[in-house]
Amino acid sequence: MTTDATRTTAPTLHDVARVAGVSLATASRVLNGSDRKVAESFRERVAKAADELGYIPNISAQAIARGTSQVIALLVADIADPYFGLIASGVARGADEEGLIVTVAITEREPARETRILHALRGQRPRGVILAASRAGERDASALDELGAFRNLGSRTVTFGAGGDRSIVIDNRAGAEALGREMAELGYRRAIAIGAAAGVKTSDDRLAGFTAGFGVGFERVHRGTFHRESGAASMTDALAAGVDAGTLVFALSDVVAVGAMTAIRDAGRSVGADIAVCGFDDVPVSRDVTPRLTTVRVPLSELGYQAFRATVDADWQQPALSLEVVVRDSTPRVA
């Protein structure tokens, strides 16, 4: 006969109820988060029994009892990109404060993939859903239907940009305009850009803002993705087409800028006095590369934290988050 001492299978809710000397319904109310009141003496007995047995509550059962689970779902485009890693760290900090769990899913900026993930996440009944990835165009009807379904389940959706119950706003255009203005003041008069595909709002806003601040249009815009490899490939194409000494390269992100810097060096050119490079975001690598990268500092971890607060705080309003131009060695003053 199997005893508690020789048990080889995971303890069940029935086991907890038996050891605590309460009904299965009472044990379930205590451990699965039901709003129905349970006498404190019963609650203590159930908690003690669960601890002795090593019982772990069923998340799905908790979600059914509460209407939502203790999960916050975070959708990002690419977890390897430090931009999203910093946002995720802010979300995780908030979740830790509230005793919640963060589930991360990767969309790769593919609308169909995003919709499939949202549909699958509905079964978890997350407390909140955060969509952090910029994408081309507006969300299609099926994605909007999925977001609406979360609302019906009592889950709040938060998006970076429009589309959710609440939105996190990054003033990419204003930050890029300040950067363009600073580069003009350093003496740069010619610039090329490395952007994402037309229609990706983050990229479009940054390119438009930089042009407004710089005061002169880009000589060329090379299109790619948000990946480092794309930055290197786009810069290689730019060099093949000809890049004069003293030209400034504006990359839509620091990660893309780092790829561009590698391509410049691989072509036997130097970053800085020969071809200047600036980026956007101020992820940690921008301070570690040589020369150090000029960029726009975005408080990404704080933005992630605010996205979390937006999912759980009834009276949340996004505080003002300023973007700061940081001039470093990759854009020396033009003589």
Side-chain angles (χ1 to χ4, degrees), residues 30 36 38 78 88 97 139 172 219 239 241 262 265-267 283 293 315 319:
V30 172
R36 296 183 64 179
V38 176
D78 179 9
E97 290 178 356
R139 288 187 165 82
N172 287 297
E219 292 182 354
L239 290 163
T262 299
R265 285 192 291 268
D266 287 348
V283 298
L293 180 65
D315 57 351

Side-chain angles (χ1 to χ4, degrees), residues 227-298:
H227 298 97
R228 176 192 174 281
E229 295 76 13
S230 179
S234 293
M235 192 69 232
T236 298
D237 292 342
L239 290 163
V243 179
D244 295 334
T247 297
L248 173 68
V249 176
F250 171 55
L252 82 153
S253 74
D254 290 348
V255 171
V256 172
V258 169
M261 293 168 73
T262 299
I264 291 169
R265 285 192 291 268
D266 287 348
R269 308 283 292 271
S270 63
V271 177
D274 183 4
I275 301 175
V277 179
C278 57
F280 206 107
D281 294 330
D282 196 31
V283 298
V285 70
S286 68
R287 301 185 289 276
D288 297 332
V289 293
T290 302
R292 295 180 306 155
L293 180 65
T294 290
T295 186
V296 176
R297 180 171 295 152
V298 182

Side-chain angles (χ1 to χ4, degrees), residues 102-124:
V102 180
T103 295
V104 180
I106 314 302
T107 69
E108 297 180 350
R109 290 192 175 84
E110 294 181 5
R113 182 182 177 92
E114 178 184 88
T115 300
R116 287 198 304 272
I117 291 171
L118 288 171
H119 184 75
L121 284 170
R122 267 204 271 161
Q124 293 187 17

Side-chain angles (χ1 to χ4, degrees), residues 39-244:
E40 189 60 29
S41 59
F42 286 175
R43 187 176 297 278
E44 290 176 355
R45 283 159 55 183
V46 170
K48 181 180 179 182
D51 183 61
E52 290 175 350
L53 293 172
Y55 173 78
I56 299 175
N58 185 301
I59 292 177
S60 297
Q62 287 184 333
I64 293 171
R66 292 188 176 116
T68 60
S69 71
Q70 297 299 89
V71 171
I72 298 293
L74 172 63
L75 277 65
V76 299
D78 179 9
I79 197 61
D81 188 328
Y83 174 95
F84 295 109
L86 288 167
I87 288 174
S89 73
V91 174
R93 174 162 57 95
D96 186 61
E97 290 178 356
E98 301 292 336
L100 302 178
I101 300 168
V102 180
T103 295
V104 180
I106 314 302
T107 69
E108 297 180 350
R109 290 192 175 84
E110 294 181 5
R113 182 182 177 92
E114 178 184 88
T115 300
R116 287 198 304 272
I117 291 171
L118 288 171
H119 184 75
L121 284 170
R122 267 204 271 161
Q124 293 187 17
R125 298 193 180 187
R127 175 90 169 267
V129 180
I130 301 171
L131 285 78
S134 175
R135 48 178 281 181
E138 299 295 329
R139 288 187 165 82
D140 56 27
S142 58
L144 292 175
D145 287 345
E146 292 297 336
L147 292 177
F150 283 108
R151 190 176 302 114
N152 293 336
L153 291 172
S155 302
R156 184 174 287 138
T157 58
V158 177
T159 54
F160 280 58
D165 300 322
R166 290 175 172 173
S167 298
I168 299 296
V169 178
I170 304 173
D171 199 343
N172 287 297
R173 186 180 180 106
E177 184 172 345
L179 176 63
R181 190 162 48 248
E182 187 73 28
M183 294 302 97
E185 291 176 358
L186 287 175
Y188 293 99
R189 297 293 178 265
R190 297 190 308 276
I192 63 175
I194 301 177
V200 177
K201 183 170 175 53
T202 298
S203 176
D204 289 350
D205 286 351
R206 292 179 179 183
L207 294 175
F210 187 93
T211 300
F214 196 59
V216 180
F218 293 113
E219 292 182 354
R220 299 191 303 275
V221 177
H222 293 267
R223 299 287 183 176
T225 68
F226 286 79
H227 298 97
R228 176 192 174 281
E229 295 76 13
S230 179
S234 293
M235 192 69 232
T236 298
D237 292 342
L239 290 163
V243 179
D244 295 334

